[in-house]
Coordinates of all heavy atoms in Angstrom, one line a residue:
M222 N -3.4 -7.0 12.0 CA -3.0 -6.1 11.0 C -1.6 -5.5 11.6 O -0.8 -5.1 10.7 CB -4.0 -5.1 10.8 CG -3.5 -4.1 9.8 SD -4.9 -3.4 8.8 CE -4.4 -1.8 8.6
L223 N -1.4 -5.5 12.8 CA -0.1 -4.9 13.4 C 1.0 -5.6 12.8 O 2.1 -4.8 12.5 CB -0.2 -4.9 14.9 CG 1.0 -4.3 15.6 CD1 1.2 -2.8 15.2 CD2 0.9 -4.5 17.0
S224 N 0.9 -6.8 12.7 CA 2.1 -7.6 12.3 C 2.5 -7.3 10.8 O 3.6 -7.3 10.6 CB 1.8 -9.2 12.5 OG 0.9 -9.6 11.7
Q225 N 1.3 -7.2 10.2 CA 1.6 -6.8 8.7 C 2.2 -5.4 8.5 O 3.1 -5.2 7.7 CB 0.3 -6.9 7.9 CG -0.1 -8.4 7.6 CD -1.0 -8.8 8.7 OE1 -1.3 -8.3 9.8 NE2 -1.4 -10.1 8.7
V226 N 1.7 -4.6 9.2 CA 2.4 -3.1 9.2 C 3.8 -3.2 9.6 O 4.7 -2.6 9.1 CB 1.5 -2.1 10.0 CG1 2.1 -0.8 10.2 CG2 0.0 -2.0 9.4
C227 N 4.0 -3.8 10.7 CA 5.5 -4.0 11.2 C 6.4 -4.7 10.2 O 7.5 -4.3 9.9 CB 5.6 -4.8 12.5 SG 4.8 -3.8 13.9
T228 N 5.7 -5.6 9.4 CA 6.5 -6.4 8.4 C 6.9 -5.5 7.3 O 8.1 -5.4 6.8 CB 5.7 -7.6 7.8 OG1 5.4 -8.4 8.9 CG2 6.4 -8.3 6.7
V229 N 5.9 -4.6 6.8 CA 6.2 -3.6 5.6 C 7.3 -2.7 6.2 O 8.2 -2.4 5.5 CB 4.9 -2.9 5.4 CG1 5.1 -1.8 4.4 CG2 3.9 -4.0 4.7
A230 N 7.1 -2.1 7.4 CA 8.2 -1.2 7.9 C 9.6 -1.8 8.0 O 10.5 -1.2 7.8 CB 7.7 -0.6 9.3
A231 N 9.5 -3.1 8.4 CA 10.9 -3.8 8.6 C 11.6 -4.0 7.2 O 12.9 -4.1 7.2 CB 10.6 -5.2 9.2
R232 N 10.8 -4.1 6.3 CA 11.4 -4.0 4.8 C 12.4 -2.9 4.6 O 13.5 -3.1 3.8 CB 10.4 -4.2 3.7 CG 11.0 -4.3 2.4 CD 9.8 -4.6 1.5 NE 10.4 -4.6 0.1 CZ 9.7 -4.7 -1.0 NH1 8.5 -4.6 -0.9 NH2 10.2 -4.9 -2.1
Y233 N 12.1 -1.8 5.2 CA 12.9 -0.6 4.9 C 13.8 -0.1 6.0 O 14.4 0.9 6.0 CB 11.9 0.6 4.5 CG 11.2 0.3 3.2 CD1 9.9 -0.2 3.3 CD2 11.8 0.4 2.1 CE1 9.2 -0.6 2.2 CE2 11.2 0.0 0.9 CZ 9.8 -0.4 0.9 OH 9.2 -0.7 -0.1
Y234 N 13.9 -0.9 7.1 CA 14.8 -0.7 8.2 C 16.2 -1.2 7.9 O 16.4 -2.4 7.9 CB 14.2 -1.4 9.6 CG 15.0 -1.0 10.7 CD1 14.9 0.3 11.2 CD2 15.5 -2.0 11.5 CE1 15.6 0.6 12.3 CE2 16.3 -1.7 12.5 CZ 16.3 -0.4 13.1 OH 17.0 -0.1 14.2
L235 N 17.0 -0.2 7.5 CA 18.4 -0.6 6.9 C 19.3 -1.2 7.9 O 20.1 -2.0 7.6 CB 18.9 0.6 6.3 CG 18.1 1.0 5.0 CD1 18.8 2.4 4.4 CD2 18.0 0.0 4.0
P236 N 19.3 -0.7 9.2 CA 20.3 -1.4 10.1 C 20.2 -2.8 10.3 O 21.2 -3.4 10.6 CB 20.1 -0.7 11.5 CG 19.4 0.8 11.1 CD 18.6 0.4 9.8
R237 N 19.1 -3.4 10.2 CA 18.8 -4.9 10.2 C 18.1 -5.3 9.0 O 16.9 -5.5 9.0 CB 17.9 -5.2 11.5 CG 18.8 -4.9 12.8 CD 18.3 -5.7 14.0 NE 17.8 -7.1 13.6 CZ 17.1 -7.7 14.4 NH1 16.5 -7.2 15.2 NH2 16.8 -9.0 14.0
K238 N 18.8 -5.7 8.1 CA 18.2 -6.2 6.8 C 17.6 -7.5 7.0 O 16.7 -8.0 6.2 CB 19.4 -6.3 5.7 CG 19.8 -4.9 5.4 CD 20.8 -5.0 4.1 CE 21.3 -3.5 3.9 NZ 20.8 -3.0 2.6
D239 N 17.9 -8.3 7.9 CA 17.4 -9.7 8.2 C 16.0 -9.6 9.0 O 15.3 -10.6 8.9 CB 18.2 -10.5 9.0 CG 18.5 -10.0 10.5 OD1 18.7 -8.7 10.6 OD2 18.4 -10.6 11.5
L240 N 15.6 -8.4 9.4 CA 14.3 -8.3 10.2 C 13.2 -8.6 9.3 O 12.2 -9.1 9.8 CB 14.4 -6.8 10.8 CG 13.2 -6.5 11.7 CD1 13.3 -7.5 13.0 CD2 13.3 -5.1 12.1
Y241 N 13.2 -8.2 8.0 CA 12.1 -8.3 7.2 C 11.8 -9.7 7.1 O 10.5 -10.1 7.0 CB 12.3 -7.5 5.8 CG 11.2 -7.8 4.9 CD1 10.0 -7.3 5.0 CD2 11.4 -8.8 3.7 CE1 9.0 -7.5 4.1 CE2 10.3 -9.1 2.8 CZ 9.0 -8.4 3.2 OH 8.1 -8.6 2.3
A242 N 12.8 -10.5 6.7 CA 12.5 -12.0 6.6 C 11.9 -12.7 7.7 O 11.0 -13.4 7.7 CB 13.8 -12.7 6.1
Q243 N 12.3 -12.1 8.9 CA 11.9 -12.8 10.3 C 10.4 -12.3 10.4 O 9.5 -13.1 10.8 CB 12.7 -12.3 11.4 CG 14.1 -12.8 11.5 CD 15.0 -12.2 12.4 OE1 14.5 -11.3 13.2 NE2 16.1 -12.8 12.6
C244 N 10.1 -11.1 10.2 CA 8.7 -10.5 10.3 C 7.7 -11.1 9.3 O 6.5 -11.4 9.7 CB 8.7 -9.0 10.3 SG 9.5 -8.1 11.7
L245 N 8.2 -11.3 8.1 CA 7.4 -11.9 7.1 C 6.9 -13.3 7.5 O 5.9 -13.7 7.2 CB 8.0 -11.9 5.7 CG 7.2 -12.4 4.6 CD1 6.0 -11.6 4.4 CD2 8.1 -12.4 3.3
Q246 N 7.9 -14.0 8.1 CA 7.6 -15.4 8.5 C 6.5 -15.3 9.6 O 5.6 -16.2 9.5 CB 9.0 -16.0 9.1 CG 9.0 -17.5 9.0 CD 10.5 -17.9 9.3 OE1 11.1 -17.3 10.1 NE2 10.9 -19.0 8.8
V247 N 6.7 -14.4 10.6 CA 5.7 -14.4 11.6 C 4.3 -13.8 11.0 O 3.3 -14.5 11.3 CB 6.1 -13.4 12.6 CG1 5.0 -13.1 13.7 CG2 7.4 -14.0 13.4
A248 N 4.2 -12.8 10.1 CA 3.0 -12.4 9.6 C 2.4 -13.4 8.8 O 1.1 -13.6 8.7 CB 3.4 -11.2 8.8
T249 N 3.2 -14.1 7.9 CA 2.6 -15.4 7.1 C 1.8 -16.4 8.0 O 0.8 -16.8 7.7 CB 3.6 -15.9 6.3 OG1 4.2 -14.9 5.5 CG2 3.0 -16.9 5.3
R250 N 2.6 -16.6 9.2 CA 2.1 -17.7 9.9 C 0.7 -17.2 10.8 O -0.2 -18.0 10.8 CB 3.1 -17.9 11.1 CG 2.6 -19.3 11.8 CD 3.6 -19.7 13.1 NE 3.5 -18.7 14.1 CZ 4.5 -17.8 14.5 NH1 5.7 -17.9 14.0 NH2 4.3 -17.1 15.4
L251 N 0.7 -15.9 11.1 CA -0.4 -15.4 11.8 C -1.6 -15.3 10.8 O -2.7 -15.5 11.1 CB -0.1 -13.9 12.4 CG 0.8 -13.9 13.5 CD1 1.2 -12.5 14.0 CD2 0.1 -14.7 14.7
A252 N -1.4 -15.0 9.6 CA -2.4 -14.9 8.5 C -3.0 -16.2 8.3 O -4.2 -16.4 8.2 CB -1.8 -14.4 7.3
A253 N -2.1 -17.3 8.3 CA -2.6 -18.6 8.0 C -3.4 -19.0 9.3 O -4.5 -19.8 9.1 CB -1.5 -19.6 7.8
D254 N -3.0 -18.7 10.5 CA -3.7 -19.1 11.7 C -5.0 -18.5 11.8 O -6.0 -19.0 12.1 CB -3.0 -18.9 13.0 CG -1.7 -19.5 13.1 OD1 -1.5 -20.7 12.4 OD2 -0.8 -19.3 14.0
T255 N -5.1 -17.2 11.4 CA -6.3 -16.3 11.4 C -7.3 -17.1 10.3 O -8.5 -17.2 10.7 CB -6.1 -14.9 11.0 OG1 -5.1 -14.4 11.9 CG2 -7.4 -14.1 11.1
V256 N -6.8 -17.4 9.2 CA -7.8 -18.0 8.3 C -8.3 -19.4 8.6 O -9.5 -19.6 8.5 CB -7.1 -18.0 6.9 CG1 -7.9 -18.9 5.8 CG2 -6.6 -16.5 6.3
S257 N -7.4 -20.2 9.2 CA -7.7 -21.5 9.7 C -8.7 -21.4 10.8 O -9.6 -22.4 11.0 CB -6.5 -22.3 10.0 OG -5.9 -21.8 11.3
L258 N -8.8 -20.3 11.7 CA -9.7 -20.3 12.6 C -11.1 -19.8 12.1 O -12.1 -19.7 13.0 CB -9.2 -19.2 13.9 CG -8.1 -19.7 14.6 CD1 -7.5 -18.6 15.5 CD2 -8.4 -21.0 15.4
G259 N -11.2 -19.2 10.8 CA -12.3 -18.8 10.4 C -12.7 -17.3 10.7 O -13.8 -16.9 10.5
S260 N -11.6 -16.6 11.2 CA -11.9 -15.3 11.4 C -12.1 -14.4 10.1 O -11.3 -14.6 9.3 CB -10.8 -14.7 12.4 OG -10.7 -15.3 13.6
K261 N -12.9 -13.4 10.2 CA -13.1 -12.6 9.1 C -13.4 -11.2 9.6 O -14.3 -10.9 10.4 CB -14.3 -13.0 8.3 CG -14.1 -14.3 7.7 CD -15.4 -14.7 7.0 CE -15.3 -16.2 6.5 NZ -16.5 -16.9 6.7
S262 N -12.6 -10.2 9.1 CA -12.8 -8.8 9.3 C -12.1 -7.9 8.3 O -11.2 -8.4 7.5 CB -12.3 -8.3 10.8 OG -10.9 -8.4 10.7
I263 N -12.6 -6.8 8.2 CA -12.0 -5.7 7.3 C -10.5 -5.5 7.6 O -9.7 -5.4 6.7 CB -12.7 -4.4 7.4 CG1 -14.0 -4.6 6.8 CG2 -11.9 -3.3 6.5 CD1 -14.1 -5.2 5.4
S264 N -10.0 -5.6 8.9 CA -8.6 -5.3 9.3 C -7.8 -6.6 8.8 O -6.6 -6.4 8.3 CB -8.4 -5.2 10.7 OG -8.9 -6.2 11.5
I265 N -8.4 -7.8 8.7 CA -7.7 -9.0 8.1 C -7.5 -8.8 6.8 O -6.4 -9.1 6.1 CB -8.4 -10.3 8.5 CG1 -8.3 -10.4 10.1 CG2 -7.5 -11.4 7.8 CD1 -9.2 -11.6 10.6
V266 N -8.5 -8.3 6.0 CA -8.5 -8.0 4.6 C -7.4 -7.0 4.3 O -6.5 -7.3 3.4 CB -9.8 -7.5 4.1 CG1 -9.7 -7.1 2.6 CG2 -10.9 -8.7 4.1
Q267 N -7.3 -6.0 5.0 CA -6.3 -5.0 4.7 C -4.9 -5.5 5.1 O -3.9 -5.2 4.4 CB -6.6 -3.8 5.8 CG -8.0 -3.0 5.4 CD -8.3 -1.9 6.5 OE1 -7.9 -2.2 7.6 NE2 -9.1 -1.0 6.0
G268 N -4.8 -6.2 6.1 CA -3.4 -6.9 6.3 C -3.0 -7.8 5.3 O -1.8 -7.7 4.9
C269 N -3.9 -8.6 4.6 CA -3.5 -9.4 3.7 C -3.2 -8.6 2.2 O -2.2 -8.9 1.7 CB -4.6 -10.3 3.2 SG -5.0 -11.7 4.4
L270 N -3.9 -7.5 2.1 CA -3.5 -6.6 1.0 C -2.2 -5.9 1.2 O -1.5 -5.9 0.2 CB -4.7 -5.6 0.8 CG -6.0 -6.2 0.2 CD1 -7.1 -5.0 0.2 CD2 -5.8 -6.7 -1.2
L271 N -2.0 -5.5 2.3 CA -0.5 -5.1 2.6 C 0.7 -6.0 2.3 O 1.6 -5.8 1.7 CB -0.3 -4.6 4.1 CG -1.0 -3.4 4.6 CD1 -0.9 -3.2 6.1 CD2 -0.3 -2.1 3.9
L272 N 0.3 -7.2 2.6 CA 1.4 -8.3 2.5 C 1.5 -8.6 1.0 O 2.6 -9.0 0.5 CB 1.0 -9.7 3.3 CG 1.3 -9.5 4.8 CD1 0.9 -10.7 5.5 CD2 2.7 -9.1 5.2
A273 N 0.2 -8.6 0.3 CA 0.4 -8.8 -1.2 C 1.1 -7.7 -1.9 O 1.8 -7.9 -2.8 CB -1.1 -9.0 -1.6
H274 N 0.8 -6.4 -1.5 CA 1.4 -5.2 -2.2 C 2.8 -5.0 -1.8 O 3.6 -4.7 -2.8 CB 0.5 -4.1 -1.9 CG 1.1 -2.9 -2.7 ND1 0.8 -2.7 -4.0 CD2 1.8 -1.7 -2.1 CE1 1.2 -1.5 -4.5 NE2 1.8 -0.9 -3.3
W275 N 3.2 -5.3 -0.7 CA 4.6 -5.0 -0.2 C 5.4 -6.3 -0.1 O 6.4 -6.3 0.5 CB 4.5 -4.4 1.1 CG 4.0 -2.9 1.0 CD1 2.7 -2.5 1.2 CD2 4.5 -1.8 0.4 NE1 2.5 -1.2 1.0 CE2 3.7 -0.7 0.3 CE3 5.8 -1.5 -0.1 CZ2 4.0 0.6 0.0 CZ3 6.1 -0.2 -0.5 CH2 5.2 0.8 -0.4
N276 N 5.1 -7.4 -0.8 CA 5.7 -8.6 -0.6 C 7.1 -8.5 -1.3 O 7.2 -7.8 -2.5 CB 4.9 -9.7 -1.3 CG 5.4 -11.1 -0.8 OD1 6.1 -11.2 0.1 ND2 4.8 -12.0 -1.5
Q277 N 8.0 -9.1 -0.8 CA 9.4 -9.2 -1.2 C 9.5 -10.0 -2.5 O 8.9 -11.1 -2.7 CB 10.4 -9.7 -0.3 CG 11.8 -9.8 -0.6 CD 12.5 -8.4 -0.5 OE1 11.8 -7.5 -0.2 NE2 13.8 -8.4 -0.6
P278 N 10.1 -9.6 -3.7 CA 10.2 -10.4 -4.7 C 10.8 -11.9 -4.5 O 11.8 -11.8 -3.9 CB 11.2 -9.5 -5.8 CG 11.1 -8.2 -5.3 CD 10.8 -8.3 -3.7
A279 N 10.2 -12.8 -5.1 CA 10.6 -14.2 -4.7 C 11.6 -14.7 -5.9 O 11.5 -14.3 -6.9 CB 9.4 -15.1 -4.6
K280 N 12.4 -15.6 -5.4 CA 13.3 -16.3 -6.4 C 12.7 -17.2 -7.4 O 13.0 -17.4 -8.4 CB 14.5 -17.0 -5.6 CG 15.3 -16.0 -4.9 CD 16.4 -16.8 -4.0 CE 17.2 -15.9 -3.2 NZ 18.0 -16.5 -2.3
S281 N 11.5 -17.8 -6.9 CA 10.7 -18.7 -7.8 C 9.3 -18.6 -7.4 O 8.8 -18.0 -6.5 CB 11.1 -20.2 -7.4 OG 10.6 -20.6 -6.1
A282 N 8.5 -19.0 -8.3 CA 7.0 -18.9 -8.2 C 6.6 -19.7 -6.8 O 5.6 -19.3 -6.4 CB 6.4 -19.4 -9.4
D283 N 7.2 -20.7 -6.5 CA 6.8 -21.4 -5.4 C 6.9 -20.5 -4.0 O 6.2 -20.9 -3.1 CB 7.5 -22.7 -5.3 CG 7.3 -23.8 -6.4 OD1 6.2 -23.5 -7.0 OD2 8.2 -24.6 -6.7
E284 N 7.8 -19.7 -4.0 CA 8.1 -18.9 -2.9 C 7.3 -17.6 -2.8 O 7.2 -16.9 -1.9 CB 9.6 -18.6 -2.8 CG 10.5 -19.8 -2.6 CD 12.0 -19.4 -2.6 OE1 12.3 -18.1 -2.7 OE2 13.0 -20.2 -2.7
D285 N 6.7 -17.4 -4.0 CA 6.0 -16.0 -4.2 C 4.5 -16.1 -3.5 O 3.8 -17.0 -3.9 CB 5.8 -15.6 -5.5 CG 5.3 -14.1 -5.7 OD1 5.1 -13.5 -4.7 OD2 5.1 -13.8 -6.9
H286 N 4.3 -15.4 -2.4 CA 3.0 -15.5 -1.8 C 2.0 -14.3 -2.1 O 0.9 -14.2 -1.6 CB 3.1 -15.4 -0.3 CG 3.9 -16.5 0.2 ND1 3.6 -17.9 0.2 CD2 5.1 -16.6 0.9 CE1 4.5 -18.6 0.7 NE2 5.6 -17.8 0.9
T287 N 2.3 -13.6 -3.2 CA 1.5 -12.4 -3.6 C 0.0 -12.8 -3.9 O -0.9 -12.3 -3.4 CB 2.1 -11.7 -4.8 OG1 3.4 -11.4 -4.3 CG2 1.3 -10.5 -5.1
F288 N 0.0 -13.9 -4.7 CA -1.5 -14.2 -5.1 C -2.2 -14.9 -4.0 O -3.3 -14.7 -4.0 CB -1.3 -15.2 -6.4 CG -1.1 -14.5 -7.6 CD1 0.3 -14.7 -8.2 CD2 -1.8 -13.5 -8.2 CE1 0.6 -14.1 -9.4 CE2 -1.5 -12.7 -9.4 CZ -0.2 -13.1 -10.0
L289 N -1.5 -15.5 -3.1 CA -2.1 -16.2 -1.9 C -2.7 -14.9 -1.1 O -4.0 -15.1 -0.7 CB -1.2 -16.9 -1.2 CG -1.6 -17.5 0.2 CD1 -2.6 -18.6 0.0 CD2 -0.5 -17.9 1.0
F290 N -2.0 -14.1 -0.8 CA -2.4 -12.9 0.1 C -3.6 -12.2 -0.6 O -4.6 -11.8 0.1 CB -1.3 -12.0 0.5 CG -0.3 -12.6 1.4 CD1 1.0 -12.5 1.2 CD2 -0.9 -13.3 2.6 CE1 1.8 -13.2 2.2 CE2 0.1 -13.7 3.5 CZ 1.5 -13.8 3.2
A291 N -3.5 -11.8 -2.0 CA -4.5 -11.2 -2.7 C -5.7 -11.9 -2.8 O -6.9 -11.4 -2.6 CB -3.9 -10.7 -4.0
G292 N -5.5 -13.3 -3.0 CA -6.8 -14.1 -3.1 C -7.5 -14.4 -1.7 O -8.8 -14.3 -1.7
L293 N -6.8 -14.4 -0.6 CA -7.4 -14.4 0.6 C -8.1 -13.2 1.0 O -9.3 -13.3 1.5 CB -6.3 -14.6 1.7 CG -5.8 -16.0 1.8 CD1 -4.6 -16.0 2.9 CD2 -6.9 -17.1 2.3
A294 N -7.6 -12.0 0.5 CA -8.1 -10.8 0.8 C -9.5 -10.6 0.0 O -10.6 -10.1 0.6 CB -7.2 -9.7 0.5
M295 N -9.4 -11.0 -1.2 CA -10.6 -10.8 -2.2 C -11.8 -11.9 -1.7 O -12.9 -11.4 -1.6 CB -10.3 -11.1 -3.6 CG -9.5 -10.1 -4.1 SD -9.2 -10.2 -5.9 CE -7.7 -11.3 -6.0
R296 N -11.3 -13.0 -1.4 CA -12.5 -14.1 -0.9 C -13.0 -13.6 0.4 O -14.3 -13.6 0.6 CB -11.8 -15.3 -0.7 CG -12.8 -16.5 -0.4 CD -12.1 -17.8 -0.1 NE -12.0 -17.7 1.4 CZ -11.0 -18.4 2.0 NH1 -10.1 -19.2 1.2 NH2 -10.7 -18.3 3.2
M297 N -12.2 -13.1 1.4 CA -12.8 -12.6 2.6 C -13.6 -11.5 2.5 O -14.7 -11.3 3.1 CB -11.7 -12.4 3.6 CG -12.1 -12.2 5.0 SD -10.7 -12.0 6.2 CE -9.9 -13.6 5.8
A298 N -13.2 -10.5 1.6 CA -14.0 -9.2 1.3 C -15.3 -9.6 0.8 O -16.4 -9.1 1.1 CB -13.3 -8.5 0.4
L299 N -15.4 -10.6 -0.2 CA -16.6 -11.1 -0.7 C -17.6 -11.7 0.4 O -18.7 -11.5 0.4 CB -16.3 -12.1 -1.8 CG -15.9 -11.6 -3.1 CD1 -15.5 -12.6 -4.1 CD2 -16.9 -10.6 -3.9
E300 N -17.0 -12.5 1.2 CA -17.7 -13.2 2.2 C -18.3 -12.1 3.3 O -19.3 -12.3 3.9 CB -16.9 -14.2 3.0 CG -16.6 -15.4 2.1 CD -15.6 -16.4 2.8 OE1 -15.2 -16.1 3.9 OE2 -15.3 -17.4 2.1
L301 N -17.5 -11.0 3.5 CA -17.9 -9.9 4.3 C -19.1 -9.1 3.7 O -19.6 -8.2 4.2 CB -16.9 -9.1 4.7 CG -15.9 -9.9 5.8 CD1 -14.6 -9.0 6.0 CD2 -16.6 -10.1 7.1
G302 N -19.3 -9.3 2.4 CA -20.4 -8.5 1.6 C -19.8 -7.1 1.2 O -20.5 -6.2 0.8
R303 N -18.6 -7.2 0.9 CA -17.9 -5.9 0.5 C -18.1 -5.7 -1.1 O -17.8 -4.6 -1.5 CB -16.4 -5.8 0.8 CG -16.1 -5.6 2.3 CD -16.4 -4.4 2.8 NE -17.3 -4.4 3.8 CZ -17.9 -3.4 4.3 NH1 -17.8 -2.2 4.0 NH2 -18.7 -3.6 5.4
S304 N -18.6 -6.6 -1.7 CA -18.9 -6.4 -3.1 C -20.3 -6.0 -3.6 O -20.5 -5.6 -4.7 CB -18.8 -7.7 -3.9 OG -19.6 -8.7 -3.4
E305 N -21.1 -5.8 -2.4 CA -22.4 -5.4 -2.6 C -22.5 -3.9 -3.0 O -21.6 -3.1 -2.3 CB -23.3 -5.8 -1.5 CG -23.5 -7.3 -1.3 CD -24.1 -7.5 0.0 OE1 -24.6 -6.7 0.7 OE2 -24.1 -8.7 0.4
E306 N -23.3 -3.4 -3.9 CA -23.4 -2.1 -4.1 C -24.2 -1.3 -2.9 O -25.4 -1.8 -2.5 CB -24.1 -1.9 -5.3 CG -24.3 -0.4 -5.7 CD -25.1 -0.3 -7.2 OE1 -25.1 -1.3 -8.0 OE2 -25.5 0.8 -7.3
H307 N -23.8 -0.2 -2.6 CA -24.3 0.4 -1.4 C -25.0 1.6 -2.2 O -24.3 2.5 -2.7 CB -23.4 0.9 -0.3 CG -22.8 -0.2 0.4 ND1 -23.4 -1.0 1.3 CD2 -21.6 -0.8 0.0 CE1 -22.8 -2.0 1.8 NE2 -21.4 -1.8 1.1
T308 N -26.3 1.8 -1.9 CA -27.0 2.9 -2.5 C -27.4 4.1 -1.7 O -27.8 5.1 -2.1 CB -28.4 2.4 -3.1 OG1 -29.2 1.9 -1.9 CG2 -28.2 1.2 -4.1
S309 N -27.0 4.0 -0.4 CA -27.3 5.1 0.4 C -26.4 6.2 0.2 O -25.2 6.0 -0.1 CB -27.2 4.6 2.0 OG -25.8 4.3 2.3
E310 N -26.8 7.4 0.2 CA -26.0 8.6 -0.1 C -25.3 9.1 1.2 O -25.9 9.1 2.3 CB -26.9 9.7 -0.6 CG -27.6 9.3 -1.9 CD -27.2 10.2 -3.0 OE1 -26.6 11.2 -2.8 OE2 -27.7 9.8 -4.1
L311 N -24.1 9.6 1.1 CA -23.4 10.1 2.3 C -24.0 11.4 2.6 O -24.3 12.3 1.6 CB -22.0 10.3 2.0 CG -21.2 9.0 1.8 CD1 -19.7 9.4 1.4 CD2 -21.2 8.3 3.1
Q312 N -24.3 11.7 3.8 CA -25.0 12.9 4.2 C -23.8 14.0 4.7 O -23.1 13.6 5.6 CB -26.0 12.8 5.3 CG -27.0 11.9 4.7 CD -28.4 12.2 5.4 OE1 -28.6 13.0 6.1 NE2 -29.4 11.5 4.7
S313 N -23.8 15.1 4.1 CA -22.9 16.2 4.7 C -23.4 16.8 5.9 O -24.6 17.1 6.0 CB -22.7 17.3 3.4 OG -22.3 16.6 2.4
P314 N -22.6 17.1 6.8 CA -22.9 17.9 7.9 C -23.4 19.3 7.5 O -22.9 19.9 6.6 CB -21.7 17.9 8.9 CG -20.5 17.7 8.0 CD -21.1 16.9 6.8
P315 N -24.4 19.7 8.3 CA -24.9 21.0 7.9 C -23.9 22.2 8.2 O -22.9 22.1 9.1 CB -26.1 21.4 9.0 CG -25.9 20.3 10.0 CD -25.0 19.2 9.4
L316 N -23.9 23.1 7.3 CA -22.9 24.2 7.3 C -23.4 25.2 8.4 O -24.6 25.6 8.3 CB -22.5 24.9 6.0 CG -22.0 24.1 4.9 CD1 -22.0 24.7 3.6 CD2 -20.6 23.6 5.4
S317 N -22.5 25.7 9.3 CA -23.0 26.6 10.2 C -22.3 28.1 10.1 O -21.4 28.2 9.4 CB -22.8 26.2 11.6 OG -21.4 25.6 11.8

């Protein structure tokens, strides 16, 4: 997830406008490697959602990875059981 956060931050780092493209390339490669290894966690879901939401507008549909990242995040969240309804109530700490 660190690479995704750094990628989003690099998008707004004005002194080096080329930094975002470089970071996005690394973050995309790391996301693909993580998925190919079969790793699943909430932090990976969050990282994919960051890349989907803060993705740079693409010149063509072939270059746009928004749906790829969003789809990976949704599929992984489903596999982690994040779609199941949780019926337990949150308990408030006692007031003192």
